[in-house]
Amino acid sequence: MSKINREEILELYKDLRVTDVRDGMDWVGLHGYGTVDHSIRPLFRTKVVGIARTARYLPFEGPVPNVTGDEYTKWAKWYYGEVCTDEWAQDIEAGDFIVMDIAGADVGILGSNNTLDHLHKGVVGYLTNGGGIRDTDEVIMQKIPVWSKFISQGMDQTRIRYYEKDIPVAIGGVAVYPNDVIVADGDGVVVVPSKYAKDVAKYAHQELAGDKAGRRKLYEKLGWELDDTVQ
Protein backbone atom coordinates (compact mmCIF):
# COMPACT_ATOMS: atom_id res chain seq x y z
CA MET A 1 0.00 0.00 0.00
CA SER A 2 1.48 3.33 -1.02
CA LYS A 3 2.08 6.12 1.47
CA ILE A 4 -0.81 8.10 -0.06
CA ASN A 5 -3.16 5.13 0.31
CA ARG A 6 -1.99 4.52 3.87
CA GLU A 7 -2.78 8.09 4.81
CA GLU A 8 -6.17 7.88 3.10
CA ILE A 9 -7.09 4.64 4.86
CA LEU A 10 -5.97 5.88 8.27
CA GLU A 11 -8.08 9.00 7.78
CA LEU A 12 -11.09 6.88 6.73
CA TYR A 13 -10.87 4.70 9.82
CA LYS A 14 -9.73 7.14 12.51
CA ASP A 15 -13.22 7.70 13.98
CA LEU A 16 -14.56 4.16 13.61
CA ARG A 17 -15.08 1.82 16.54
CA VAL A 18 -14.43 -1.92 16.39
CA THR A 19 -18.19 -2.51 16.34
CA ASP A 20 -18.68 -0.15 13.40
CA VAL A 21 -15.97 -1.95 11.45
CA ARG A 22 -17.43 -5.33 12.41
CA ASP A 23 -20.75 -4.14 10.95
CA GLY A 24 -19.01 -2.88 7.83
CA MET A 25 -17.40 -6.30 7.38
CA ASP A 26 -20.85 -7.90 7.58
CA TRP A 27 -22.15 -5.47 4.97
CA VAL A 28 -19.57 -6.68 2.44
CA GLY A 29 -20.23 -10.35 3.16
CA LEU A 30 -17.38 -11.08 5.61
CA HIS A 31 -19.64 -12.16 8.47
CA GLY A 32 -17.37 -14.92 9.73
CA TYR A 33 -14.05 -13.23 9.22
CA GLY A 34 -11.87 -10.62 10.84
CA THR A 35 -12.72 -10.74 14.55
CA VAL A 36 -9.65 -11.74 16.55
CA ASP A 37 -10.36 -14.30 19.29
CA HIS A 38 -11.82 -12.73 22.42
CA SER A 39 -9.03 -14.19 24.57
CA ILE A 40 -6.75 -11.48 23.14
CA ARG A 41 -7.47 -8.37 25.18
CA PRO A 42 -6.12 -4.82 25.61
CA LEU A 43 -3.57 -4.09 28.29
CA PHE A 44 -5.68 -1.02 29.06
CA ARG A 45 -8.74 0.53 27.45
CA THR A 46 -7.85 2.66 24.45
CA LYS A 47 -8.61 2.87 20.74
CA VAL A 48 -6.13 2.49 17.88
CA VAL A 49 -6.28 2.30 14.09
CA GLY A 50 -3.23 1.27 12.09
CA ILE A 51 -1.78 -0.57 9.12
CA ALA A 52 -0.50 -4.09 9.79
CA ARG A 53 3.24 -4.70 9.79
CA THR A 54 3.79 -8.38 10.48
CA ALA A 55 6.51 -10.55 12.01
CA ARG A 56 6.83 -14.21 12.94
CA TYR A 57 8.83 -15.72 15.79
CA LEU A 58 9.43 -19.37 16.66
CA PRO A 59 10.26 -21.06 19.95
CA PHE A 60 14.00 -21.25 20.53
CA GLU A 61 15.19 -24.84 20.12
CA GLY A 62 18.44 -24.39 22.03
CA PRO A 63 20.82 -25.49 23.16
CA VAL A 64 20.93 -23.23 26.19
CA PRO A 65 24.52 -22.79 27.37
CA ASN A 66 25.42 -23.80 30.87
CA VAL A 67 26.77 -20.38 31.84
CA THR A 68 25.91 -17.77 34.46
CA GLY A 69 26.92 -14.29 35.58
CA ASP A 70 29.22 -12.36 33.27
CA GLU A 71 29.42 -15.28 30.85
CA TYR A 72 25.64 -15.26 30.58
CA THR A 73 25.72 -11.51 29.92
CA LYS A 74 28.09 -12.13 27.03
CA TRP A 75 25.91 -14.94 25.67
CA ALA A 76 22.74 -12.81 25.94
CA LYS A 77 24.42 -10.08 23.89
CA TRP A 78 25.18 -12.66 21.21
CA TYR A 79 21.58 -13.88 21.37
CA TYR A 80 20.11 -10.46 20.61
CA GLY A 81 22.64 -9.87 17.85
CA GLU A 82 22.21 -13.22 16.11
CA VAL A 83 18.98 -14.96 17.19
CA CYS A 84 16.30 -12.50 18.28
CA THR A 85 17.12 -9.63 15.95
CA ASP A 86 13.66 -8.01 15.53
CA GLU A 87 14.48 -7.00 11.96
CA TRP A 88 10.99 -5.57 11.36
CA ALA A 89 11.88 -2.68 13.70
CA GLN A 90 14.25 -1.34 11.03
CA ASP A 91 11.36 -0.69 8.60
CA ILE A 92 8.76 1.06 10.77
CA GLU A 93 6.52 3.64 9.10
CA ALA A 94 4.16 6.10 10.75
CA GLY A 95 0.84 4.38 11.38
CA ASP A 96 2.21 0.84 11.68
CA PHE A 97 0.30 -1.58 13.88
CA ILE A 98 2.81 -4.31 14.75
CA VAL A 99 1.28 -7.79 14.47
CA MET A 100 3.52 -10.46 16.01
CA ASP A 101 2.97 -14.20 15.71
CA ILE A 102 5.00 -15.42 18.68
CA ALA A 103 3.66 -18.99 18.61
CA GLY A 104 1.80 -18.47 21.88
CA ALA A 105 5.07 -18.16 23.79
CA ASP A 106 5.27 -16.83 27.34
CA VAL A 107 7.90 -14.21 26.59
CA GLY A 108 8.17 -10.47 27.20
CA ILE A 109 9.38 -9.55 23.74
CA LEU A 110 7.93 -6.05 24.21
CA GLY A 111 8.62 -3.87 27.22
CA SER A 112 8.89 -0.35 28.57
CA ASN A 113 12.06 0.46 26.61
CA ASN A 114 11.76 -0.90 23.08
CA THR A 115 8.11 0.14 22.72
CA LEU A 116 9.12 3.76 23.35
CA ASP A 117 11.71 3.51 20.59
CA HIS A 118 9.07 2.08 18.24
CA LEU A 119 6.60 4.80 19.27
CA HIS A 120 9.17 7.42 18.31
CA LYS A 121 9.46 5.78 14.88
CA GLY A 122 5.69 5.75 14.29
CA VAL A 123 4.21 2.55 15.74
CA VAL A 124 0.62 3.02 16.97
CA GLY A 125 -0.01 -0.35 18.64
CA TYR A 126 0.81 -4.05 19.00
CA LEU A 127 -1.07 -7.32 18.59
CA THR A 128 0.36 -10.68 19.72
CA ASN A 129 -0.95 -14.22 20.09
CA GLY A 130 0.85 -15.06 23.32
CA GLY A 131 2.37 -13.00 26.09
CA GLY A 132 4.70 -10.60 24.35
CA ILE A 133 4.46 -7.78 26.85
CA ARG A 134 6.16 -7.10 30.19
CA ASP A 135 7.02 -4.00 32.30
CA THR A 136 3.29 -3.39 32.13
CA ASP A 137 3.09 -0.72 34.85
CA GLU A 138 5.44 1.48 32.82
CA VAL A 139 3.88 0.50 29.49
CA ILE A 140 0.45 1.54 30.75
CA MET A 141 1.88 4.77 32.20
CA GLN A 142 3.55 5.47 28.84
CA LYS A 143 0.20 4.76 27.09
CA ILE A 144 1.60 2.12 24.72
CA PRO A 145 -1.39 0.23 23.26
CA VAL A 146 -1.00 -3.57 23.36
CA TRP A 147 -3.49 -6.38 22.73
CA SER A 148 -2.20 -9.78 23.89
CA LYS A 149 -3.35 -13.07 25.35
CA PHE A 150 -1.54 -12.58 28.66
CA ILE A 151 1.29 -10.73 30.38
CA SER A 152 4.80 -12.20 30.56
CA GLN A 153 7.84 -11.72 32.76
CA GLY A 154 10.79 -13.36 31.01
CA MET A 155 13.15 -11.81 28.45
CA ASP A 156 13.60 -13.19 24.94
CA GLN A 157 16.72 -15.27 25.41
CA THR A 158 16.22 -19.08 25.52
CA ARG A 159 12.51 -18.59 24.80
CA ILE A 160 12.04 -17.30 21.25
CA ARG A 161 13.83 -16.49 18.03
CA TYR A 162 13.04 -14.09 15.21
CA TYR A 163 12.11 -15.86 11.96
CA GLU A 164 10.69 -13.54 9.28
CA LYS A 165 8.80 -10.32 8.58
CA ASP A 166 6.23 -8.85 6.18
CA ILE A 167 4.45 -12.20 5.71
CA PRO A 168 0.94 -13.48 6.50
CA VAL A 169 0.51 -14.50 10.13
CA ALA A 170 -2.35 -16.07 12.10
CA ILE A 171 -3.52 -14.24 15.21
CA GLY A 172 -6.54 -15.38 17.19
CA GLY A 173 -8.03 -17.31 14.29
CA VAL A 174 -7.55 -14.51 11.75
CA ALA A 175 -5.04 -14.37 8.91
CA VAL A 176 -3.32 -10.99 8.97
CA TYR A 177 -1.48 -9.82 5.86
CA PRO A 178 0.88 -6.85 5.61
CA ASN A 179 -1.13 -3.66 4.92
CA ASP A 180 -4.39 -5.00 6.33
CA VAL A 181 -6.24 -2.47 8.47
CA ILE A 182 -6.24 -3.12 12.22
CA VAL A 183 -8.87 -1.50 14.42
CA ALA A 184 -8.66 -2.20 18.15
CA ASP A 185 -10.42 -0.89 21.23
CA GLY A 186 -12.06 -2.14 24.42
CA ASP A 187 -14.22 -4.52 22.38
CA GLY A 188 -11.16 -6.32 21.01
CA VAL A 189 -9.56 -6.36 17.57
CA VAL A 190 -10.92 -6.58 14.04
CA VAL A 191 -8.78 -7.06 10.92
CA VAL A 192 -9.90 -5.67 7.55
CA PRO A 193 -8.25 -7.16 4.44
CA SER A 194 -6.69 -4.28 2.52
CA LYS A 195 -8.66 -5.02 -0.66
CA TYR A 196 -11.94 -4.47 1.22
CA ALA A 197 -10.78 -1.48 3.24
CA LYS A 198 -12.69 1.26 1.41
CA ASP A 199 -15.93 -0.69 1.07
CA VAL A 200 -15.89 -1.72 4.72
CA ALA A 201 -15.24 1.88 5.78
CA LYS A 202 -18.20 3.10 3.71
CA TYR A 203 -20.69 0.89 5.53
CA ALA A 204 -18.98 1.24 8.89
CA HIS A 205 -19.49 5.01 8.66
CA GLN A 206 -23.12 4.40 7.69
CA GLU A 207 -23.65 2.41 10.88
CA LEU A 208 -21.71 4.88 13.04
CA ALA A 209 -23.77 7.80 11.72
CA GLY A 210 -27.01 5.99 12.55
CA ASP A 211 -25.78 5.17 16.04
CA LYS A 212 -24.74 8.76 16.70
CA ALA A 213 -28.08 10.15 15.49
CA GLY A 214 -30.08 7.74 17.61
CA ARG A 215 -27.99 8.29 20.73
CA ARG A 216 -28.05 12.06 20.27
CA LYS A 217 -31.87 12.03 20.42
CA LEU A 218 -31.73 9.95 23.59
CA TYR A 219 -29.15 12.31 25.13
CA GLU A 220 -31.53 15.20 24.46
CA LYS A 221 -34.48 13.33 26.01
CA LEU A 222 -32.37 12.59 29.07
CA GLY A 223 -31.20 16.19 29.29
CA TRP A 224 -27.56 15.17 28.96
CA GLU A 225 -24.87 17.48 27.60
CA LEU A 226 -23.84 16.38 24.11
CA ASP A 227 -20.34 14.88 23.91
CA ASP A 228 -18.02 13.95 21.04
CA THR A 229 -19.57 10.49 20.66
CA VAL A 230 -22.92 11.89 19.48
CA GLN A 231 -21.78 14.84 17.37
Side-chain angles (χ1 to χ4, degrees):
M1 190 180 294
S2 70
K3 184 175 181 180
I4 293 175
N5 283 341
R6 285 172 61 96
E7 292 174 352
E8 179 184 4
I9 293 302
L10 290 170
E11 181 67 22
L12 271 176
Y13 277 81
K14 69 176 185 179
D15 296 325
L16 295 172
R17 305 168 297 180
V18 161
T19 49
D20 303 317
V21 177
R22 178 66 266 164
D23 293 346
M25 295 278 279
D26 290 354
W27 249 255
V28 302
L30 297 176
H31 293 75
Y33 188 80
T35 296
V36 173
D37 189 83
H38 305 295
S39 62
I40 295 175
R41 301 298 301 162
L43 185 60
F44 60 93
R45 280 191 171 264
T46 186
K47 176 183 176 296
V48 180
V49 174
I51 305 298
R53 179 171 295 277
T54 62
R56 179 179 290 121
Y57 292 75
L58 297 175
F60 179 63
E61 301 92 337
V64 177
N66 185 25
V67 295
T68 59
D70 291 343
E71 289 186 27
Y72 185 80
T73 299
K74 182 178 179 181
W75 180 81
K77 183 177 181 180
W78 168 85
Y79 194 92
Y80 286 103
E82 300 295 332
V83 178
C84 209
T85 54
D86 300 342
E87 293 179 16
W88 56 268
Q90 302 169 14
D91 305 322
I92 292 170
E93 296 182 59
D96 278 349
F97 203 122
I98 307 303
V99 181
M100 307 170 73
D101 179 354
I102 62 171
D106 185 0
V107 56
I109 196 167
L110 301 169
S112 56
N113 192 316
N114 60 358
T115 55
L116 275 184
D117 179 49
H118 304 157
L119 177 70
H120 176 70
K121 294 176 180 177
V123 169
V124 297
Y126 301 87
L127 172 63
T128 86
N129 58 1
I133 182 65
R134 68 180 203 157
D135 308 331
T136 54
D137 290 342
E138 289 83 4
V139 171
I140 292 169
M141 182 269 293
Q142 292 166 184
K143 298 182 179 179
I144 307 294
V146 180
W147 282 257
S148 68
K149 206 161 190 177
F150 48 86
I151 292 168
S152 297
Q153 295 178 358
M155 301 173 73
D156 300 354
Q157 64 267 21
T158 79
R159 297 177 176 90
I160 204 164
R161 66 182 178 91
Y162 170 76
Y163 187 66
E164 58 186 342
K165 64 181 179 179
D166 300 330
I167 36 73
V169 296
I171 306 288
V174 179
V176 185
Y177 289 77
N179 295 323
D180 284 351
V181 183
I182 311 292
V183 181
D185 62 20
D187 289 338
V189 183
V190 62
V191 179
V192 183
S194 58
K195 66 180 178 180
Y196 293 105
K198 290 186 178 180
D199 288 339
V200 169
K202 173 184 175 181
Y203 294 106
H205 276 286
Q206 171 184 285
E207 296 307 294
L208 175 60
D211 179 80
K212 282 187 173 183
R215 290 176 58 241
R216 181 184 178 112
K217 291 179 181 178
L218 292 170
Y219 268 47
E220 291 169 345
K221 286 182 179 180
L222 289 163
W224 290 3
E225 183 178 350
L226 301 183
D227 57 39
D228 291 342
T229 72
V230 296
Q231 294 181 354

